[in-house]
Amino acid sequence: MADHGARDHATWSASATARNVHCAGALTLAQFAPPQRESIHSARGTACHQIAEKCLRTGVDASSFLGEIEKTKEREIEIDEELVNSAQEYVDYCRSLNPDIMKSGVHEQRWIEQKFDLSALGTPFDAGGTGDFVCYDPRHKTLEIVDLKNGMGVVDVNENPQLRTYGLGALLAHPDLDVERVTVTIVQPRAPHKDGRIRSETFHVADLIDWTADLLKAMQRSKQAMDEHAAANGNTVLLDEWRDKWLKPGKCTFCPVEGSCPALKRDAMSVAAVWFDDMDQPRLGNAALDTDPASLNRDLNMIPMLEDWIKARRALAHSMAEQGVEFEDHMLVDKIGNRKWADDTAPLVMAMQENGVDPFAEPKLLSPAQLEKLLGSKRKALIEPFVVREVTGTNLVSRTKTTRSAAKTKAETYFEAQP
Ligand code: SF4
């Protein structure tokens, strides 16, 4: 079993390629990042990968792990339906590839959790990563890399630098294979996308080689940024110049220095200054409330940047406080969870019965994943006609950050419902 919590340990990891290509200074600052705590989302992603790997290695279905505990770097995650469903969708897709080869038992044609190393290209740093699943189809001379994404942030497959890095790594790892085309596939069960939850891009090896030249140039830029940062030697004027030259916000999610990045601080401060000192906007004498759609639209554009920065600052301070740093006006307190029964429920049952109360509820219908587990992999499709995914409300999102179609407004829904 691969160590999923520490998969991308290279200085230039595949998963950070998009960020490092966009922001050449990110790799420099990452060297000074405080130790990263494992978030619950990241731990759930790790647990999902772990059970998916076990399924692919052993042939069982993900529902067999329902209710079990998976240990991750810092947490223990109980496998719930959502994780089972995500893992199974990915496992089903991997199993569906090259079924003839799979059946013939020629295992050399697929690799689970394959480690990649790009050092053969003469990279200025150690560079690599781990591909979730790699499969070679000799009939079409195609190498496919499948990536499971358990998160809800929509990831596009086209020209995706992380996936291209995996493609490149897979190609380097198998110089003996006759490959003409590379297919990269994202399986992202929890994020609706116009191209579906499973989406692929196929490109010719020659295109990948062209892209590799760009990747190596980006690595050289990062190396130059690193060298110039070292040459500034702590001089604040030079470091401000370095910040403006090498840091480029825009792909900061998951950057290990998001909470302490000087470029984000500079931009957040300037956005806040516009907000609080909006002197060039027309003032409407009697307008007590600011409900102008254009003004709200402008604020909606600015809010995510400030929110992200505030969230990252809070997370950094929290993590430092947990490591013992004291803040004058702030302190750590315990977070109290929802009420639940103590481990031994026998005294509770006895006390309730003595008071004439039955603490047991009526038997409930099993959940889809529980029923799937009972039915087993061969009969699990039986429940599909009875499963629904309900819309529970709406979200207001940026048009540029979604591929989903617009939901109906309340007025539209109301008039549609009229006879
Ligand atoms: S937070 Fe954003 S701008 Fe700052 S180093 Fe990271 S990627 Fe670059």
Side-chain angles (χ1 to χ4, degrees), residues 15 19 250-256 258 264 308 311:
S15 58
R19 177 170 69 239
K251 292 196 184 293
C252 305
T253 314
F254 305 127
C255 179
E258 194 183 4
L264 284 188
D308 287 350
K311 213 161 73 182

Side-chain angles (χ1 to χ4, degrees), residues 221-241:
R221 281 198 301 277
S222 286
K223 174 76 172 73
Q224 194 184 336
M226 222 175 243
D227 293 345
E228 288 187 20
H229 191 274
N233 199 22
N235 178 306
T236 50
V237 176
L238 293 178
L239 285 179
D240 280 354
E241 284 172 13

Side-chain angles (χ1 to χ4, degrees), residues 157-160 163-164 182-186 199-203:
V157 73
N158 293 324
E159 298 186 22
N160 180 308
L163 296 178
R164 291 205 169 197
V182 173
T183 295
V184 289
T185 298
I186 285 179
R199 43 200 182 271
S200 301
E201 181 188 36
T202 297
F203 36 87

